[in-house]
Amino acid sequence: MTLDITYTTKTKQLIDNLKSVCANYGLGNDGNEFKIISQVFLYKFLNDKFRYEIKKLKPELGDNKTFNEQLEAMSVGERELLMDLLDENVPRLKPHQLITYLYNIQNTGDFAKTFDDTLRDISVENADVFSIKSSTGAKDKLFDELSNFITDSSQRDAFCKALINKLFEFSFEESFDTYFDEKYDFFKDIFEYLIKDYNSDSGGKYAEYYTPNAVARIIANILVAEDEKGNKKCYDPSVGSGSLLMSLAHKIGEDKCTIYSEDISQKSSTMLRLNLILNNLTHSIPNVIKTNTISQPFYLGKQGFDYIVSNPPFKLDFSDFRDDLEKDSFKERFFAGIPNVPKAKKESMAIYLLFIQHIIHSLNDAGKAAVVVPTGFITAQSGIEKKIRERLVDKGWLRGVVSMPSNIFASTGTNVSVLFIDKQADSEHIVLMDASKLGDPIKEGKNLRTVLSKTEEGDIVEKFNKRQAEKDLSVVVTKEQIKEKNYSFSAGQYFEVNIDYADITADEFGAKMQGFEQKLSDLFSKGNYLDEQISKQLKVLRYE
């Protein structure tokens, strides 16, 4: 993993360098800083991916110092033939659109305009593969005119030069071979590092949560069978950066699955695009939809998915469109009901209950799903929570539940469980697992986070997949047993209670009781003495 660590360190250094450029030109912590850094990061990756793939087709271009000159020296016909040989998911760039070219001409006049024009042309020419759509079908731009974020026009050339210089110092190319062979799962850390400074709402309306790699791997290893065949349709209705989908795709095989996703956040969609590119899933970028999944679902009725994974927002104010969901057109999807608007704290509305119902509705007849839920969901004795649990059990769709350790998420202390749904589940062997005592606590900044070891991850997956009961960890129950427990999904309510008995004689028992009586008598005496002392002290107190 040395290359993984080195690569991640260098990538984080690039991000820091780009942030430094923004700070030097008055954009530190500015609302546009995230756009600049994420878009420049994307441009760098597309540039290096293009160079890497061209060199594979034409090894004689391998000299980095002369790559641009040799590519430009080709005839138009030769270059077009080379472009035709590239995989459809590889960006198409022209010699004058490469970073090396811009680096070499940075001292020419009006460089900021050249920089913006270059990014705009790349965006237009690669829109079919790399653009994200909204629910209306409109495609986003890969790049804004970044120099315009600098209000002082006299500084724009210098700003764009500074960006190009930072990009020129770094290369992704050296890691491509090893990365795509080994499928390093590093981008989740890079995503968190890139976005952390723009995520200050602490769980509020626009905050992001990062699904830990351990949780993502456990979900993928439980959901996907080892002998999975065929092209699978994988979906996340609240995708964020896509870490759950990435683990799922790695388990299935990137060439054996197609990713579909929805999320209301433009920020998340931008990062997901990067994640798909980095994880060799560029072919799925056209399926990334920016929309409100609950009120304006793009894929509803268009797809029945083989796999759905989701770590949805637990609480969010959706009062603006809550009443619209009461219409008949939504009632089939939200079979268990829609949370009411509270008189206070609208932000506490349990929107995750809508996502669970949406997920159940979006599976095909053989579909499987894993959903991260607050642990309180698995035992609630009434309301929408219980109705959903009843539906899963009565229909025979519950495969099992894993309750995770506290603080498995660094950004929230909410206890979480993972709900596993399978439209073809075995109702006689439902696995309920309490993994809350596993893991070791570590400090991450101001937050305490619990980290599972690889051995613990493996134990959870093995016990779950083999349907093994283990004392104080897992139980295997039937559909009828869950009904008898009022549809509780908590493993602890099914554990056997073992009482250890010790044989003692009557004399030994009498001696123990006499000892307890003596201790109790001593405590009463001490209490009486203290009462007397307090009374004496109160009598001598004098008040002015």
Side-chain angles (χ1 to χ4, degrees), residues 171-344:
S171 177
F172 286 103
E173 292 182 63
E174 64 191 42
S175 62
F176 282 145
D177 276 325
T178 305
Y179 168 68
F180 285 120
D181 287 344
E182 300 296 329
K183 296 179 183 176
Y184 286 146
D185 192 10
F186 57 78
F187 191 66
K188 177 261 176 189
D189 296 324
I190 293 172
F191 170 81
E192 184 169 350
Y193 190 78
L194 178 56
I195 205 173
K196 64 184 176 67
D197 290 340
Y198 315 104
N199 195 38
S200 58
D201 289 331
S202 303
K205 191 156 188 173
Y206 300 108
E208 310 285 350
Y209 290 114
Y210 317 107
T211 306
N213 287 337
V215 175
R217 285 191 296 264
I218 288 169
I219 286 174
N221 287 324
I222 287 176
L223 274 188
V224 182
E226 293 296 335
D227 58 348
E228 194 66 85
K229 294 180 177 65
N231 191 291
K232 300 299 179 181
K233 293 181 290 186
C234 305
Y235 171 61
D236 189 334
S238 56
V239 69
S241 68
S243 57
L244 285 174
L245 282 176
M246 298 308 104
S247 289
L248 190 65
H250 290 330
K251 181 66 177 178
I252 297 171
E254 295 87 343
D255 58 340
K256 296 178 183 176
C257 67
T258 304
I259 299 297
Y260 299 83
S261 72
E262 295 174 279
D263 201 298
I264 197 170
S265 168
Q266 180 64 52
K267 181 171 63 177
S268 292
S269 298
T270 300
M271 297 312 300
L272 175 61
R273 171 165 47 204
L274 279 170
N275 214 346
L276 290 170
I277 294 170
L278 283 169
N279 283 277
N280 213 21
L281 289 160
T282 304
H283 61 276
S284 291
I285 290 178
N287 303 325
V288 176
I289 305 298
K290 178 187 171 297
T291 190
N292 184 328
T293 307
I294 299 303
S295 64
Q296 296 177 306
F298 181 80
Y299 287 115
L300 191 65
K302 298 177 183 178
Q303 301 280 350
F305 295 103
D306 299 297
Y307 290 102
I308 302 178
V309 288
S310 184
N311 176 18
F314 291 170
K315 295 181 179 181
L316 199 68
D317 176 8
F318 61 94
S319 58
D320 290 348
F321 57 87
R322 190 260 173 214
D323 290 345
D324 292 337
L325 302 179
E326 294 280 13
K327 296 177 181 176
D328 289 342
S329 57
F330 288 101
K331 285 186 176 178
E332 183 181 358
R333 185 168 48 137
F334 301 125
F335 61 88
I338 301 162
N340 292 320
V341 180
K343 293 181 180 178

Side-chain angles (χ1 to χ4, degrees), residues 398-412:
L398 178 66
R399 185 177 171 193
V401 174
V402 177
S403 295
M404 291 292 175
S406 300
N407 299 310
I408 193 76
F409 288 78
S411 50
T412 174

Side-chain angles (χ1 to χ4, degrees), residues 151-171:
T151 54
D152 183 352
S153 59
S154 68
Q155 289 189 317
R156 290 174 182 170
D157 284 351
F159 172 68
C160 293
K161 288 179 188 179
L163 292 176
I164 282 294
N165 286 325
K166 296 302 182 187
L167 298 183
F168 185 77
E169 295 169 358
F170 173 87
S171 177

Side-chain angles (χ1 to χ4, degrees), residues 320-479:
D320 290 348
F321 57 87
R322 190 260 173 214
D323 290 345
D324 292 337
L325 302 179
E326 294 280 13
K327 296 177 181 176
D328 289 342
S329 57
F330 288 101
K331 285 186 176 178
E332 183 181 358
R333 185 168 48 137
F334 301 125
F335 61 88
I338 301 162
N340 292 320
V341 180
K343 293 181 180 178
K345 291 188 176 181
K346 290 183 180 180
E347 67 275 9
S348 68
M349 295 177 73
I351 196 169
Y352 80 95
L353 295 173
L354 300 180
F355 276 99
I356 297 175
Q357 295 176 79
H358 173 81
I359 287 165
I360 293 171
H361 189 74
S362 300
L363 284 168
N364 63 28
D365 292 339
K368 302 175 183 178
V371 192
V372 179
V373 299
T375 293
F377 166 82
I378 68 176
T379 55
Q381 292 302 298
S382 61
I384 296 172
E385 294 92 334
K386 188 178 179 187
K387 289 179 182 177
I388 294 173
R389 298 202 313 271
E390 289 173 345
R391 171 69 65 95
L392 292 175
V393 172
D394 294 344
K395 290 286 188 179
W397 295 342
L398 178 66
R399 185 177 171 193
V401 174
V402 177
S403 295
M404 291 292 175
S406 300
N407 299 310
I408 193 76
F409 288 78
S411 50
T412 174
T414 303
N415 290 337
V416 303
S417 296
V418 182
L419 178 68
F420 289 92
I421 302 167
D422 186 341
K423 286 291 187 75
Q424 296 184 339
D426 176 0
S427 294
E428 298 302 306
H429 299 87
I430 299 167
V431 181
L432 303 179
M433 186 174 291
D434 181 2
S436 63
K437 298 180 180 65
L438 302 182
D440 294 310
I442 64 169
K443 197 77 180 293
E444 289 190 354
K446 297 179 180 179
N447 298 316
L448 191 66
R449 179 176 175 182
T450 302
V451 177
L452 294 169
S453 68
K454 291 288 186 181
T455 300
E456 289 171 327
E457 281 185 47
D459 285 345
I460 291 171
V461 172
E462 182 179 21
K463 297 290 188 303
F464 198 101
N465 285 340
K466 291 183 177 180
R467 297 167 179 159
Q468 292 179 348
E470 182 171 311
K471 183 180 177 182
D472 297 330
L473 177 65
S474 60
V475 292
V476 181
V477 298
T478 67
K479 172 179 175 178

